[in-house]
Amino acid sequence: MEPGSRDPFGGEVVVIERRWNFYVRDVARVVARTLRAAGCEADVVLTDDRTVRRLNCRDRGKNKPTNVLTYEQPPEILLALGVVRREAVREGKAVRAHLVHLLVHGALHLQGYDHHHAGEAREMESEETKILARLKVANPWRNR
């Protein structure tokens, strides 16, 4: 699947920050496969920290970049390369694995999951772990 093309599952992958292609081979295909496994129809924008910081400030009142932002209407998931890459390095995992985890996380938010309370967080983490296992990505919660 080419970046900027629409996946048969229903989402478009837009690679704004081209360095995503350096850190994740076949990034658009990875995104499409992940969304299918998560049962999610959403557009995905792979962008930079500055763009995500601006949107996070405008929409959430937090003047800093975050790893992933989700929007319900239209369903959209945005990821900031710098934050994702720094977190992956800090956690000792590949950028690809962290991207997949964050895509699943965003997809679950779009499906109504949340993590503001302990019970909700456990339920969401459990679902993330199941989906990630199907994608052959290690459980990100195992070493907490």
Side-chain angles (χ1 to χ4, degrees):
M1 185 172 145
E2 294 298 315
S5 63
R6 187 159 287 283
D7 180 80
F9 192 75
E12 184 176 356
V13 180
V14 179
V15 182
I16 293 174
E17 170 53 76
R18 293 287 175 208
R19 291 181 303 150
W20 277 102
N21 294 304
F22 174 77
Y23 289 103
V24 181
R25 186 175 186 200
D26 295 323
V27 69
R29 189 170 317 213
V30 169
V31 169
R33 181 172 179 252
T34 302
L35 291 184
R36 281 193 299 275
C40 179
E41 291 187 34
D43 292 337
V44 173
V45 180
L46 300 173
T47 190
D48 55 55
D49 287 9
R50 189 177 75 218
T51 301
V52 170
R53 181 190 58 76
R54 184 176 47 78
L55 293 170
N56 201 26
C57 184
R58 181 191 77 188
D59 299 335
R60 299 178 65 224
K62 298 181 180 185
N63 192 18
K64 64 180 184 175
T66 187
N67 50 21
V68 61
L69 285 175
T70 57
Y71 293 95
E72 292 181 7
Q73 291 301 321
E76 188 172 55
I77 302 170
L78 290 90
L79 293 111
L81 176 62
V83 177
V84 172
R85 193 174 64 76
R86 286 188 300 276
E87 289 175 350
V89 168
R90 185 180 67 238
E91 296 170 20
K93 56 177 141 176
V95 173
R96 179 193 177 282
H98 197 44
L99 167 65
V100 169
H101 174 212
L102 293 171
L103 284 166
V104 169
H105 185 84
L108 291 176
H109 272 304
L110 290 174
Q111 295 170 28
Y113 286 83
D114 217 328
H115 47 80
H116 293 298
H117 303 289
E120 291 176 332
R122 279 191 299 276
E123 182 181 359
M124 188 171 185
E125 289 169 8
S126 175
E127 191 62 26
E128 285 176 6
T129 301
K130 289 177 198 170
I131 296 167
L132 291 171
R134 289 197 304 265
L135 293 165
K136 302 195 181 344
V137 173
N139 178 351
W141 309 112
R142 184 179 10 235
N143 296 325
R144 288 191 319 163

